[in-house]
Amino acid sequence: MIIKVALAGALLTSGIGLVAPLAVAASGGDTCISTPTEAALPGCRAPVGAVDGSLPGAEEAVARALRLVGGHGYYQLCARLAANIWGRPRAGYYSAAEQWRQMVVSGNAHRDRKPPVGALVFWDTGGVFGHVAVYVGDGRIVSNDIGDEFPGEGGVYLVDFGLIESKWHAAYLGWAPPIYST
């Protein structure tokens, strides 16, 4: 597999020296890597498939998400849960809100309510961290904390897409493909 790397330089996002996450997109047999603020290299395909709008790897991610339902240990760790669903140990972003901002800056944010299966869906919760979950189809998401009976439980739940808004009074921001640092 050929790996094409295009780095426009490190983007420092804080005084502790966090580097901007890298976007990864599959292209046939190639993997293309670029920073979230630059376009993919010629010949690279965006993470959302051009033919049917599906996300490569979504089937595996949804299966992983459904296996996590009923588990615990994700209290206020929505970004980590979403990353784990996509087979990543961590999100690589400070928060869901920061991940959403990066998706907006990089042109990967979609503000409609029609996410493809496997997409990351984001909400503004009124706090600094925001919320992210994974859309699994049929109007449902896999999310943490939303069904907890007590704070700190960190449960993982399969719930209706709109429950984040109705129960937490969060404002839906949109969806993005699963772009994580490598």
Side-chain angles (χ1 to χ4, degrees):
M1 175 183 299
I2 299 171
I3 296 184
K4 300 176 184 177
V5 179
L7 297 173
L11 170 66
L12 297 177
T13 59
S14 75
I16 60 173
L18 297 174
V19 177
L22 299 175
V24 178
S27 175
D30 295 348
T31 299
C32 304
I33 304 173
S34 62
T35 66
T37 56
E38 74 180 330
L41 296 170
C44 292
R45 198 172 38 130
V48 177
V51 177
D52 62 1
S54 65
L55 295 170
E59 187 174 318
E60 295 86 359
V62 168
R64 196 174 296 113
L66 296 176
R67 284 193 304 272
L68 287 169
V69 169
H72 294 86
Y74 286 97
Y75 180 64
Q76 296 185 348
L77 296 173
C78 60
R80 177 173 288 168
L81 173 61
N84 290 173
I85 287 170
W86 274 95
R88 306 289 184 164
R90 62 192 163 282
Y93 299 91
Y94 175 71
S95 66
E98 174 60 26
Q99 188 172 10
W100 175 251
R101 284 190 292 274
Q102 290 290 330
M103 296 304 103
V104 170
V105 167
S106 66
N108 288 296
H110 303 269
R111 298 193 186 266
D112 63 76
R113 288 180 173 268
K114 296 178 183 175
V117 170
L120 305 179
V121 287
F122 295 86
W123 288 267
D124 177 350
T125 58
V128 297
F129 300 109
H131 187 67
V132 62
V134 176
Y135 184 71
V136 296
D138 296 326
R140 299 175 302 160
I141 59 171
V142 169
S143 181
N144 63 312
D145 299 341
I146 191 71
D148 287 357
E149 293 182 24
F150 58 89
E153 190 174 346
V156 179
Y157 305 93
L158 176 64
V159 298
D160 288 338
F161 184 93
L163 188 60
I164 303 298
E165 292 161 277
S166 64
K167 186 170 183 178
W168 288 346
H169 307 288
Y172 177 71
L173 296 171
W175 66 270
I179 299 175
Y180 293 106
S181 59
T182 56

